[in-house]
Amino acid sequence: MIGHKLGPGRLTFGATGSLHELSAQLKTCNIKPESSAEEDEFGLDWSALAGDTTDAATISGTFKQEYSRTSFIKWAHDNRGKVMPFEFVPVVETEDGLKVTGQVQIVRVGFGGDVKKTNDQDFEFKIVGGEYDLDEYAKPAG
């Protein structure tokens, strides 16, 4: 098979015991790494000295809005400014999948939209230091 469908998967924020799971509301989820490099410098002998590279990354997506005390909107508002762990598993029903883990800085998310419609909202959290782990994920036995 070439390519996989995204899902069924899982996205959680927070530590064990206080997880906030967004999976059921999530329509899209993306890890976006970015790197920028300074120009190379040259020595008198014309040898190249590589410029510094800076890494950054975000996790972003689109979710279905809920307007309750346990909603993602309220959770993000209450936890804004905090740094928390996250785990993104693109496909949970696989024997040889991947998971992404790291730390994100929580910011508030927008809400609202069209009357008499279930509205979507985008979010984007900065991954702290641009660093995340990409590890193996195997479906739990049973």
Side-chain angles (χ1 to χ4, degrees):
M1 172 200 261
I2 297 176
H4 289 115
K5 290 182 181 177
L6 181 61
R10 182 176 65 233
L11 176 62
T12 58
F13 296 102
T16 303
S18 63
L19 288 178
H20 187 88
E21 185 165 351
L22 189 57
S23 306
Q25 295 169 261
L26 205 56
K27 291 179 60 178
T28 67
C29 188
N30 298 287
I31 303 289
K32 295 180 187 172
E34 293 184 20
S35 294
S36 61
E38 294 179 1
E39 288 189 30
D40 293 346
E41 296 181 9
F42 296 91
L44 182 59
D45 64 356
W46 289 21
S47 59
L49 305 169
D52 289 337
T53 301
T54 303
D55 289 330
T58 58
I59 184 167
S60 62
T62 303
F63 66 96
K64 289 289 194 187
Q65 295 181 38
E66 291 181 354
Y67 309 115
S68 69
R69 292 182 305 223
T70 60
S71 70
F72 182 58
I73 296 166
K74 175 74 168 130
W75 179 87
H77 178 84
D78 290 348
N79 289 284
R80 68 189 180 276
K82 294 180 182 175
V83 173
M84 295 189 171
F86 78 92
E87 181 181 76
F88 171 46
V89 181
V91 180
V92 295
E93 297 293 323
T94 184
E95 301 298 326
D96 62 348
L98 296 173
K99 69 177 178 179
V100 182
T101 58
Q103 300 279 321
V104 292
Q105 184 168 22
I106 306 301
V107 296
R108 292 182 289 187
V109 298
F111 60 95
D114 295 331
V115 174
K116 287 189 159 190
K117 292 191 177 181
T118 302
N119 291 288
D120 297 343
Q121 183 65 45
D122 296 333
F123 75 94
E124 181 174 85
F125 296 154
K126 180 179 91 174
I127 297 176
V128 177
E131 296 293 325
Y132 56 86
D133 294 317
L134 189 58
D135 298 314
E136 293 178 14
Y137 174 83
K139 178 173 78 170

